[in-house]
Amino acid sequence: MRRTPQRLSWGSILFFLLLLLFYYAVSQRTPGEYIVVRVIDGDTIELNTGEKVRYIGINAPELHHPQKGVEYFAREAYEANRRMVEGKRVRLEFDVEKRDRYGRLLAYVYVDDIMVNEWLVANGYAQVATFPPNVRYAERLRKLEKEARRLRIGLWGKP
């Protein structure tokens, strides 16, 4: 006696596809983590969500300044930021205000357990620039800048 193969219903197929899609989405990122798809300059990135993120508490030399052009040490700051975050998973920590006047997210950005904002300052790729009310780590950043200046690292070295 021959058995006829059973057909899957459209509902079963749809359920299976949705289950696969859900699994894929969950496996791609942990909540609160994003992939950096592009580094814009020394203190701004773009995420896989399309959102742009401006690092809180720091200011790196401008790579695309409308009047000044490329500022001193801008390319180095861009490259350092790119090496730290491009193509990597990052975690964002917000302060009081979540967005700036340009609609960018304002965040402390982490790769693994390293706060990129602090790393850039400590290595002389950015200086401290605090804008209340987002001042949670202002004192830590100031201490790191003071030490980078003392050691003449990066921006603070001899041109």
Side-chain angles (χ1 to χ4, degrees):
M1 180 157 121
R2 276 183 64 180
R3 282 182 86 184
T4 56
Q6 285 187 307
R7 293 184 182 200
L8 292 175
S9 70
W10 284 109
S12 297
I13 293 170
L14 183 60
F15 175 77
F16 180 73
L17 289 174
L18 287 173
L19 190 61
L20 278 175
L21 183 62
F22 175 76
Y23 175 76
Y24 177 77
V26 168
S27 69
Q28 290 306 297
R29 73 177 179 90
T30 305
E33 288 190 349
Y34 305 89
I35 303 292
V36 176
V37 294
R38 181 169 72 109
V39 172
I40 297 169
D41 59 21
D43 55 29
T44 310
I45 57 177
E46 184 177 340
L47 305 174
N48 59 323
T49 61
E51 292 266 24
K52 289 185 176 67
V53 178
R54 174 70 165 76
Y55 297 168
I56 296 175
I58 71 169
N59 186 45
E62 295 298 325
L63 195 56
H64 313 286
H65 195 281
Q67 286 84 32
K68 300 177 187 177
V70 178
E71 292 182 330
Y72 170 72
F73 222 69
R75 285 189 180 93
E76 292 86 346
Y78 163 80
E79 282 298 323
N81 192 23
R82 188 185 63 74
R83 285 190 307 270
M84 280 292 290
V85 301
E86 191 173 67
K88 295 183 181 171
R89 289 182 193 272
V90 296
R91 181 174 51 84
L92 305 182
E93 178 185 348
F94 301 104
D95 208 328
V96 177
E97 293 178 337
K98 194 171 178 180
R99 293 191 183 271
D100 68 7
R101 63 182 174 171
Y102 305 108
R104 300 175 297 190
L105 290 172
L106 297 170
Y108 303 102
V109 177
Y110 293 83
V111 172
D112 298 321
D113 291 329
I114 298 169
M115 184 200 294
V116 179
N117 314 47
E118 287 184 333
W119 187 90
L120 290 167
V121 170
N123 288 283
Y125 295 109
Q127 60 188 356
V128 176
T130 56
F131 299 95
N134 292 341
V135 295
R136 181 176 303 146
Y137 298 114
E139 192 53 40
R140 282 170 47 178
L141 290 167
R142 278 193 280 278
K143 285 179 184 176
L144 290 168
E145 181 182 305
K146 184 177 180 181
E147 185 65 7
R149 283 175 181 261
R150 187 183 73 74
L151 296 173
R152 299 185 181 273
I153 297 172
L155 282 164
W156 319 116
K158 295 178 183 173

